[in-house]
Amino acid sequence: RIVRQIESPINVIVGNPPYSKGQTSANDSNANLSYPTLDGRIAATYAGLSTATNKNSLYDSYFRAYRWATDRVGEHGIVAFVSNGGWIDGNTADGVRLSFADDFAHVWVFNLRGNMRKANWKEEGGQIFGAGSQTTIAVFVGVKDTAHTGPAQIHYRDIGDYLDREQKLRIIDAGTVDTLEWDTIVPNTSGDWVGQRDDMFGAWPVIAERRKPTRGGVFTRFSRGVESARDAWMYSYSRDALTANVRRMVGN
């Protein structure tokens, strides 16, 4: 059955992949699973194109779903997901955006907002999946078509500020890819889609370069500064409190 499934052509994949980085400790009932082939594809694409230092989040289960589905539909197909939308403007996900632009001929992204972790969380509006959802939610439709030439056509829509859940659901219910108004995005070379950086920033003098010191920098030495690892015991704004604290330590 597995062999037949692998050999069968699949050209449309629709889903709502789970969001999970796996367990953070042995006490979690959320064991980390290994997918050597799939994770190898992520390493070569999403992580390989990312400029982030820590790329662990790119192996989240919903990124695995994107990578698997994109490869599984072959040269012609559609991937349509409702998923965590943190990749839309996250710094770590620059490789994801660059890969999407390479993998698909057409991309539609409907940003439903709802990120409760933002400082302006009220502006994010209601949570599509209710109180259990705290991240940005996005509808993604990617179309692969070998007949398409040139760069990917990326269409983006932000649902808007301060909308409650019911208002968002009404907009979603009434809208289709053909009827919604979309903004056309032309990504920059850094993989920015929304909130694109000014390329002039790269021409400014650098403060420091740790990994590839090709342009020099004001600072050339890196350290964590004066670090005793016992500040809680050996420092205080109160001389009397500090004296009492040190005496208690000596007594112990």
Side-chain angles (χ1 to χ4, degrees):
R1 187 185 65 181
I2 293 173
V3 172
R4 287 199 306 272
Q5 188 274 331
I6 292 174
E7 293 177 347
S8 299
I10 296 178
N11 298 113
V12 178
I13 296 177
V14 180
N16 171 219
Y19 329 141
S20 171
K21 296 179 185 177
Q23 68 178 9
T24 56
S25 76
N27 296 323
D28 293 343
S29 180
N30 187 24
N32 300 314
L33 300 177
S34 176
Y35 301 91
T37 303
L38 182 57
D39 290 348
R41 287 287 294 140
I42 291 177
T45 54
Y46 300 165
L49 294 174
S50 174
T51 57
T53 301
N54 188 340
K55 305 179 184 183
N56 292 342
S57 63
L58 297 178
Y59 296 88
D60 188 300
S61 54
Y62 85 95
F63 281 134
R64 284 171 165 168
Y66 270 110
R67 185 67 270 168
W68 173 83
T70 302
D71 292 341
R72 187 64 180 84
V73 297
E75 296 182 349
H76 291 82
I78 298 173
V79 176
F81 280 163
V82 178
S83 78
N84 185 323
W87 60 268
I88 293 173
D89 56 2
N91 293 332
T92 306
D94 53 351
V96 175
R97 296 187 294 271
L98 289 168
S99 294
F100 283 168
D102 288 338
D103 291 333
F104 296 99
H106 305 274
V107 172
W108 286 267
V109 179
F110 195 175
N111 187 350
L112 306 180
R113 309 283 289 275
N115 186 354
M116 295 296 102
R117 296 186 176 92
K118 279 193 172 182
N120 58 338
W121 58 271
K122 290 184 178 180
E123 187 178 86
E124 291 288 298
Q127 299 147 282
I128 291 295
F129 293 119
S133 168
Q134 294 190 346
T135 63
T136 300
I137 302 298
V139 178
F140 171 93
V141 178
V143 177
K144 300 179 78 172
D145 182 4
T146 55
H148 175 80
T149 58
Q153 295 181 355
I154 299 172
H155 312 278
Y156 177 77
R157 179 185 172 97
D158 188 322
I159 201 166
D161 299 335
Y162 300 109
L163 299 177
D164 61 31
R165 180 174 182 265
E166 286 67 31
Q167 289 173 311
K168 291 182 180 182
L169 291 175
R170 283 196 294 270
I171 294 172
I172 296 168
D173 186 52
T176 67
V177 169
D178 294 332
T179 60
L180 288 172
E181 294 183 4
W182 301 93
D183 294 324
T184 300
I185 290 178
V186 179
N188 60 17
T189 56
S190 300
D192 298 332
W193 286 14
V194 297
Q196 296 187 9
R197 73 194 74 184
D198 187 342
D199 289 335
M200 285 297 296
F201 182 78
W204 292 2
V206 296
I207 299 298
E209 281 188 299
R210 182 194 294 268
R211 289 176 293 177
K212 296 180 180 179
T214 56
R215 294 162 49 200
V218 177
F219 299 102
T220 58
R221 181 170 295 179
F222 297 84
S223 78
R224 296 176 66 174
V226 178
E227 186 177 38
S228 69
R230 40 182 200 149
D231 293 3
W233 305 290
M234 304 303 293
Y235 292 88
S236 175
Y237 287 107
S238 167
R239 181 186 181 93
D240 292 340
L242 178 60
T243 301
N245 202 19
V246 172
R247 290 187 183 280
R248 185 166 61 253
M249 286 183 59
V250 172
N252 286 334

